[in-house]
Amino acid sequence: MIDVPGLVGVLAARGQTVAAAESLTGGLLTATLVTVPGVSKVLRGGLVVYATDLKHSLAGVDAALLAQRGPVDPDVALALARGARERCAADWGLATTGVAGPGPQDGVPAGTVYVALAGPDGQSQVSELHVEGERQHVRDSAVAAALGLLRAAVIDP
């Protein structure tokens, strides 16, 4: 379990900010952050880009990449994180994309998730998850994994 208040506190102490571009989590990642009092010092914003075309128009993901690989892809996740960081003028960008289920989407099995982090000085990381269980469990797992990437980058570099 991620200590979200502690993570927000570290970011605030460093004067750093975060933004998110979310697909399968539909705003849950940003909503998790805003449960912390004082998060306004840290959270710049969030983009809910559930529809594939919005990943391009709002988050800046290359349309050709989306056309070639689809929205559930590690490079798309990284592009979403970079887009959140750039478009919201944040130090850190987080992203979630995947298939929450219950069934597959475009041949991608339910529970396939990519989370990504983009940070200062070109720092980046993508994690692939294969989560079994109900839709909400898949979404919760994606949020925890994305926050885990941020925690690892700012607390345990």
Side-chain angles (χ1 to χ4, degrees):
M1 186 59 122
I2 301 296
D3 175 14
V4 180
L7 180 57
V8 168
V10 169
L11 288 168
R14 292 183 179 181
Q16 292 185 325
T17 58
V18 65
E22 303 182 60
S23 184
L24 89 146
T25 51
L28 185 60
L29 174 54
T30 305
T32 299
L33 289 168
V34 301
T35 63
V36 179
V39 76
S40 60
K41 296 175 186 170
V42 169
L43 181 63
R44 292 282 302 154
L47 307 169
V48 175
V49 289
Y50 207 74
T52 300
D53 62 308
L54 294 181
K55 290 170 179 62
H56 169 68
S57 63
L58 294 180
V61 178
D62 183 69
L65 175 63
L66 288 165
Q68 290 169 355
R69 301 206 195 149
V72 183
D73 178 85
D75 291 333
V76 170
L78 184 54
L80 285 168
R82 288 178 175 150
R85 180 177 183 268
E86 293 166 8
R87 304 239 169 161
C88 294
D91 296 297
W92 299 96
L94 296 173
T96 64
T97 189
V99 181
Q105 175 187 339
D106 299 327
V108 178
T112 302
V113 174
Y114 295 97
V115 296
L117 168 87
D121 305 317
Q123 293 170 293
S124 64
Q125 186 173 351
V126 178
S127 291
E128 179 177 355
L129 301 124
H130 297 280
V131 182
E132 293 185 20
E134 299 288 323
R135 242 180 112 71
Q136 190 61 44
H137 177 68
V138 173
R139 295 174 67 234
D140 290 340
S141 297
V143 168
L147 291 173
L149 289 180
L150 183 60
R151 183 190 188 285
V154 300
I155 296 176
D156 304 320

